[in-house]
Amino acid sequence: MVALTTATSMAPTIDVDKLRFLPKSAPFDIHVYFHRDGTEENVAAELRTGLLCQFDCLRDDGWYDGARNIHPLPYFVVQIATTENCGRINDIIPWLHARRQGLSVLVHPHSLGGFVEDHTTCAVWLGEPLQLRGMNAIQTVHRVVRRVGLRTLLAGTVVGVAV
């Protein structure tokens, strides 16, 4: 579990010392969601440019014009490129919080805790949290795997497992 601190007017912070990051992976993703209505799309484009200019520890990881994978809306994603810079996330979050202009932002690690934990208990939302597509099914599979083991699940011998 990641320690988060929040106050009504302050952005949350992440205790990066409590995370164990995946090796050879970007430590954090930052997803900024928008509606393709012109206004929000323009705000997102300006925010993306600002992030990449302001924080040299970030790299661009794509602009997606529609819902994709678990992401329910169009979005762009930037990543903190190296674990040496992971502490910068607590500089980036307040900068984003002050400039997001109503857009929803998901900040999550790539940790040894796994996909579900990274996108739920370790995630930070700025603005309105969105329902990530398929997360209920993913969480159910995750619980079954933890309970019976991946080999048993892949072998197809799981029948009537309560989750």
Side-chain angles (χ1 to χ4, degrees):
M1 180 80 114
V2 176
L4 302 176
T5 57
T6 59
T8 307
S9 62
M10 293 175 34
T13 59
I14 298 174
D15 187 349
V16 295
D17 294 330
K18 294 194 178 192
L19 287 169
R20 295 178 314 161
F21 296 103
L22 287 173
K24 299 180 182 178
S25 182
F28 284 99
D29 277 357
I30 301 166
H31 300 268
V32 178
Y33 300 94
F34 57 90
H35 291 94
R36 294 195 64 202
D37 62 2
T39 303
E40 284 192 4
E41 198 166 6
N42 290 338
V43 169
E46 290 173 12
L47 195 55
R48 179 185 189 204
T49 300
L51 276 166
L52 293 169
C53 289
Q54 184 72 26
F55 298 99
D56 62 358
C57 62
L58 293 176
R59 70 175 173 220
D60 185 9
D61 197 43
W63 179 279
Y64 302 95
D65 287 326
R68 180 175 182 265
N69 301 326
I70 65 168
H71 305 287
L73 291 174
Y75 68 100
F76 73 83
V77 61
V78 294
Q79 298 178 321
I80 290 187
T82 65
T83 54
E84 292 78 29
N85 289 311
C86 67
R88 298 286 313 274
I89 197 67
N90 289 316
D91 299 326
I92 296 166
I93 289 173
W95 189 95
L96 265 171
H97 183 66
R99 293 165 177 81
R100 63 182 182 78
Q101 296 184 47
L103 300 181
S104 293
V105 178
L106 169 63
V107 179
H108 72 83
H110 290 269
S111 76
L112 295 175
F115 181 87
V116 172
E117 186 175 299
D118 288 349
H119 288 80
T120 56
T121 57
C122 291
V124 170
W125 283 95
L126 304 177
E128 186 67 30
L130 303 177
Q131 179 63 45
L132 299 177
R133 300 180 333 160
M135 281 303 286
N136 290 337
I138 292 167
Q139 287 173 307
T140 298
V141 169
H142 185 72
R143 283 192 300 270
V144 170
V145 167
R146 282 192 170 186
R147 185 160 182 194
V148 302
L150 184 58
R151 280 192 195 160
T152 304
L153 183 65
L154 292 175
T157 58
V158 178
V159 178
V161 174
V163 289

